[in-house]
Amino acid sequence: MDFRDLRYFEVIAEEGHVGRAAERLYKTQPALTKCIDRLEDELGAPLFERVGRGIRLTAVGQALLNRARRIGLMMDETAREIGDYANGREGNIRLGCIPTLAEHILPGICEQLLAEAQKVTIDLKVSMNDALLAGLKAGELDIVLGPMIQNDEVFQTEEIMQDQMVVMASASHPIFGQKIRLRTLLEYQWVLPATSVLSRQWLDNVFDRHHLARPSVQITPTVLNMIMPLIERSNLLGFASKLNLEAGRGNLREVPLKETTMLRRMGLTYRRDMYLSPAAQRLIGIIRRQTGTPAN
């Protein structure tokens, strides 16, 4: 049964007249008559009966009209759904993000995505970069936002921004009342992530290169967004992204020291061989626009 025949049949039924249906459909009357003949041959029963100068549905015709309308609605919904997927307005995105970007960059990106594509769903994993890349490599994530990956055969990375990691303290910390050198930082206790975290390793290496002891860590949180509140409410030093200062945390100050300023290039990473859904591609486009990143 041809779907176009059902569409034409529906209009003929609504008009109750082949001539008027032909005008509405921009078809000839013989073409519509053949449409009805094909349907009646397939069903083995008449669909219309004559009434004066017009026609009306038989019981079989009424049953077919009810079905045709449901099929038409289903086809329209299917076309919209496929169009939504094709245009990235619907679908699921499995996104990984390091804590710093999840707190400071991701909310604006999600706001724009949901404004453009209200039906898109996101499975968000916030973790350290090594765990996220392992998930991306295993096919458990579509996109990762985190530090750049250099010269990798598996991953494709686009730089989206640059960030600085700096030593921070509360605005009232006594360290600001003295001349600050690298050795000065060792006079205070610290809150730092585990030694497996790259930023912690980088900071430890700074002290190693200068033949100094490593920072004395009093608190080692596994949840990195706890570092900022701990620094603000104590005399502990910390090592964190400058984005925290730009976000207006008024009780934090940078402890300015060239040796302890770490430049981080942040990237958008996905697998070279992995299919990216239209929804994921739409998200990538939004990230590029919001960060001023040119498309590859």
Side-chain angles (χ1 to χ4, degrees), residues 208-264:
D208 291 345
R209 289 197 306 271
H210 288 80
H211 307 290
L212 296 171
R214 292 181 175 183
S216 177
V217 181
Q218 192 162 20
I219 300 179
T220 304
T222 57
V223 180
L224 296 188
N225 59 7
M226 282 299 301
I227 290 179
M228 294 301 101
L230 288 169
I231 296 172
E232 288 179 311
R233 297 177 179 227
S234 70
N235 281 334
L236 297 173
L237 299 179
F239 191 58
S241 168
K242 235 178 174 179
L243 291 172
N244 292 288
L245 299 177
E246 295 170 4
R249 299 192 82 123
N251 199 38
L252 283 178
R253 281 181 63 185
E254 177 185 350
V255 181
L257 205 60
K258 182 179 178 180
E259 296 92 327
T260 55
T261 299
M262 172 186 171
L263 177 65
R264 293 197 303 178

Side-chain angles (χ1 to χ4, degrees), residues 101 145 148 158-162 266-268 287 291-293:
L101 297 185
L145 299 180
M148 287 279 291
E158 305 173 19
E159 182 174 333
I160 57 174
M161 63 175 291
Q162 292 189 353
M266 293 297 183
L268 157 71
I287 294 170
T291 59
T293 306

Side-chain angles (χ1 to χ4, degrees), residues 5-19:
D5 284 348
L6 288 177
R7 284 293 202 190
Y8 297 160
F9 160 73
E10 190 175 344
V11 174
I12 295 168
E14 289 172 356
E15 294 294 339
H17 194 279
V18 175

Side-chain angles (χ1 to χ4, degrees), residues 88-93 106-123 279 282-283 286 289-290:
R89 291 192 296 266
E90 191 166 326
N92 178 257
I93 304 170
L106 190 58
I109 291 170
C110 288
E111 178 184 16
Q112 185 61 43
L113 175 66
L114 297 178
E116 294 183 13
Q118 296 180 9
K119 296 180 181 178
V120 166
T121 59
I122 301 173
D123 294 333
R282 177 180 283 271
L283 175 62
I286 290 171
R289 292 200 306 271
Q290 293 213 355

